[in-house]
Amino acid sequence: MGFSQAISEISRRIGREKVLTEPEDVYAYSLDASTEFKQAPGAVVRASSEEDVKVVLEVADRERVPVVPRGSGTSLTGAPVPTSPESIVLDLTPMNRVEVNVDDGYVMAEAGATVLEVDKACREYGFFFPPDPASSRIATIGGALAENAGGLRGAKFGVMKNWVLAMEVYLAGGRKLRIGEPVYKWRWGPDLLSLFIGSEGTLGVITKAWLKIYPLPEKVVRVMGTFDRLEDAGRAISQIRRRGYVPMMLELLDRETIEIVNEVLGYDVEVAEAMVVADVDGPREAVWRMAREVEQVMKESGGRTRASDDPEEMQQLYLARQGAYAAVTRAYPGVLLEDITVPLSKLMVALRELEKLRKEYGLRMPVFGHAGDGNLHPTICFDPRDEDQLRKAREMFVKIGRLAIELGGAISGEHGIGLAKKELFLEEIKAVRGEGYLEVVRKIKELLDPNGIMNPGKLWF
Ligand SMILES: Cc1cc2nc3c(=O)[nH]c(=O)nc-3n(C[C@H](O)[C@H](O)[C@H](O)COP(=O)(O)OP(=O)(O)OC[C@H]3O[C@@H](n4cnc5c(N)ncnc54)[C@H](O)[C@@H]3O)c2cc1C
């Protein structure tokens, strides 16, 4: 037995039409959004039921065939890219049922439903699903849980982990594990939910999740400040937090981001050293008072401000941030999107150090990100056909990761580790958590996946 026999058995048991093996059919599964890593799988199984998942994991485990769970492949780190040609990519997107239970305060979503579909379903009842990765239109719930994704509303609402009540997971060998209950309080020993959230498909396949929902805010006011000095923007951000305001969104953009967005997308956004955009939400009668206070903090820090609750104008105030990633990827054939997190008190130090790196290497590197939770996206722009630029970009990438570790932060706030950050992740763990941590996690892996078939080569496995 082996790979071919495994594929024949799976095809026979779940139906030939769900199993793709032709090179032109599996090609789309050989990359993710990073486009940096490439390996076509030998087969793709498009699972449309839990039984399909179970059969794949049972046969693959017996035959020692690697299984790579996959949502929409929007990962930016190579996480859903196979590391061997005789792998099965398990595509969960056909499993996309969504059911809102507004009385009990949750939404049940199958792994392949997109984050936006879940959010939209909740909105029909006057609720919403707070985690909002910028890729939410296509990123799946399974992928977002496996990456512990965050998003623009993270400053106030955190990441996926904060919104899960229960999950169903299938382990290598086909065993089903139900974790948690769809109620707001439950206790039964160690928290296994957290074990799978952020595990990047290396411990099991998430098939279903029960997620908390939240009432839609009555009103949102967007406040935008432009600053002549980066330090002033940094002071405004820390003062907003220090004075007790927790805007739903608190974003920072630097001059280079604004310039690239204007150049590439043809916008006419005021160029300044930095821009801060805050979404203040709350009850109708109080929200403008809070927004004016946030605006005042920005002014005291030297900002020129605008505020609006008009949808069109709000969109205008957000143009530069919204277009940042699209502009960069359109303008440059090579882009390395960093994702570090630093303690809020070190935000300005990080920005200054990034500026030094930019000067040292002479590559463009717009910096934007979720300043409210210390998560920055320095975005290294280069031409991969130019060996010198490629080398510089890779060196910068590593140095930025190390900067985050030195400042007491993390090499990834939301995009994960995958293949792109394996070495840096080990450095971070050794520096902060120690060898003992790795030992414990390796033992957990051996217990749940003794034959090592689940997404091998990712994280530190
Ligand atoms: C333009 C753009 C913007 C982005 N913005 C953000 C952002 O704001 N915040 C953020 O956090 N991320 C962001 N990302 C990264 C990415 O979209 C997220 O990590 C997303 O959650 C991945 O979802 P996916 O369905 O595409 O998963 P995939 O890319 O298919 O898979 C990601 C990982 O999850 C595993 N996986 C997928 N499904 C399952 C499952 N059912 N069970 C177990 N493991 C599974 C895979 O094996 C892989 O390791 C962005 C990406 C792009 C391209």
Side-chain angles (χ1 to χ4, degrees):
M1 290 283 273
F3 181 75
S4 321
Q5 288 87 342
I7 299 306
S8 306
E9 181 177 338
I10 291 168
S11 304
R12 186 168 43 75
R13 287 176 62 183
I14 70 169
R16 176 89 204 101
E17 69 289 352
K18 294 181 188 170
V19 184
L20 315 175
T21 50
E22 293 302 323
E24 62 271 26
D25 293 332
V26 300
Y27 179 78
Y29 297 85
S30 61
L31 296 161
D32 69 354
S34 71
T35 66
E36 208 191 332
F37 306 94
K38 189 172 179 187
Q39 173 61 64
V44 173
V45 175
R46 303 203 68 228
S48 56
S49 69
E50 286 186 33
E51 183 59 21
D52 295 349
V53 174
K54 181 177 180 299
V55 169
V56 168
L57 292 176
E58 183 194 310
V59 177
D61 193 46
R62 197 183 64 222
E63 301 304 326
R64 311 289 193 265
V65 173
V67 175
V68 184
R70 185 173 173 112
S72 296
T74 64
S75 154
L76 291 159
T77 64
V81 177
T83 48
S84 109
E86 295 208 327
S87 303
I88 298 173
V89 164
L90 187 58
D91 175 358
L92 277 302
T93 54
M95 293 176 67
N96 56 10
R97 213 155 41 95
V98 177
E99 284 165 15
V100 181
N101 181 334
V102 79
D103 292 329
D104 292 330
Y106 68 77
V107 54
M108 186 291 294
E110 285 187 325
T114 67
V115 178
L116 190 65
E117 279 164 357
V118 168
D119 185 46
K120 273 189 174 164
C122 299
R123 282 173 193 259
E124 283 178 28
Y125 298 89
F127 286 74
F128 75 118
F129 181 60
D132 61 337
S135 51
S136 63
R137 211 175 297 172
I138 41 175
T140 63
I141 287 294
L145 285 166
E147 292 289 0
N148 195 18
L152 294 165
R153 296 193 281 252
K156 180 164 188 166
F157 292 109
V159 290
M160 286 297 288
K161 180 176 174 301
N162 306 113
W163 294 89
V164 190
L165 297 169
M167 283 192 327
E168 277 178 8
V169 178
Y170 278 78
L171 302 178
R175 261 180 309 154
K176 177 173 171 172
L177 198 60
R178 163 72 185 256
I179 317 164
E181 289 302 331
V183 289
Y184 273 60
K185 275 186 173 173
W186 57 269
R187 287 276 318 153
W188 65 25
D191 177 7
L192 294 188
L193 280 175
S194 296
L195 194 60
F196 289 92
I197 299 169
S199 67
E200 302 194 1
T202 60
L203 297 182
V205 178
I206 300 161
T207 48
K208 201 186 269 185
W210 287 262
L211 307 160
K212 289 188 248 182
I213 60 179
Y214 201 77
L216 276 168
E218 270 182 32
K219 199 165 185 64
V220 179
V221 177
R222 184 159 291 162
V223 185
M224 191 263 276
T226 44
F227 298 83
D228 292 331
R229 297 185 331 154
L230 207 50
E231 279 75 13
D232 295 343
R235 201 170 56 247
I237 289 163
S238 71
Q239 282 304 311
I240 289 169
R241 306 273 327 206
R242 273 194 143 203
R243 293 201 201 169
Y245 302 109
V246 188
M248 187 154 77
M249 175 179 91
L250 186 52
E251 295 287 304
L252 173 78
L253 289 73
D254 71 351
R255 166 189 274 273
E256 196 147 45
T257 308
I258 303 169
E259 283 175 350
I260 290 187
V261 168
N262 281 346
E263 270 165 43
V264 179
L265 303 179
Y267 296 161
D268 187 21
V269 177
E270 180 196 339
V271 178
E273 281 311 307
M275 178 191 284
V276 175
V277 188
D279 270 3
V280 180
D281 65 301
R284 211 174 299 280
E285 58 286 358
V287 71
W288 263 109
R289 176 182 57 76
M290 294 189 292
R292 290 290 179 224
E293 284 163 7
V294 167
E295 203 178 0
Q296 184 56 28
V297 176
M298 288 194 197
K299 281 188 175 138
E300 284 166 15
S301 304
R304 296 178 292 284
T305 61
R306 278 166 67 191
S308 177
D309 61 3
D310 171 66
E312 243 171 64
E313 202 182 342
M314 285 169 80
Q315 183 63 19
Q316 282 298 317
L317 300 182
Y318 187 58
L319 266 189
R321 176 63 184 95
Q322 188 178 39
Y325 186 65
V328 171
T329 46
R330 210 179 284 181
Y332 290 91
V335 168
L336 281 179
L337 178 62
E338 259 291 4
D339 170 39
I340 56 168
T341 300
V342 297
L344 282 176
S345 59
K346 302 278 172 56
L347 202 58
M348 278 307 108
V349 185
L351 288 166
R352 259 182 252 122
E353 291 300 317
L354 290 170
E355 181 57 30
K356 280 190 208 157
L357 271 181
R358 180 157 45 197
K359 286 198 177 120
E360 182 188 336
Y361 282 92
L363 292 182
R364 273 185 117 176
M365 183 175 65
V367 180
F368 48 90
H370 319 303
D373 46 16
N375 186 200
L376 293 174
H377 296 313
T379 307
I380 309 162
C381 305
F382 61 103
D383 182 348
R385 293 159 299 191
D386 179 327
E387 282 198 7
D388 188 46
Q389 286 199 23
L390 184 62
R391 176 190 58 77
K392 284 181 174 168
R394 288 192 170 141
E395 274 182 34
M396 285 173 89
F397 189 76
V398 173
K399 284 193 176 173
I400 293 169
R402 287 188 181 145
L403 172 67
I405 300 172
E406 275 160 30
L407 294 178
I411 58 159
S412 171
E414 46 183 34
H415 296 166
I417 308 303
L419 292 166
K421 289 196 168 173
K422 276 184 77 162
E423 285 79 20
L424 275 171
F425 195 37
L426 279 172
E427 280 185 37
E428 179 183 324
I429 286 173
K430 283 182 184 149
V432 184
R433 306 183 209 177
E435 283 287 348
Y437 177 84
L438 279 179
E439 223 173 277
V440 170
V441 183
R442 283 201 181 106
K443 288 220 164 92
I444 293 171
K445 168 78 172 171
E446 275 165 31
L447 185 73
L448 298 177
D449 178 22
N451 298 317
I453 65 154
M454 294 305 311
N455 205 4
K458 311 297 164 52
L459 292 177
W460 52 81
F461 302 123

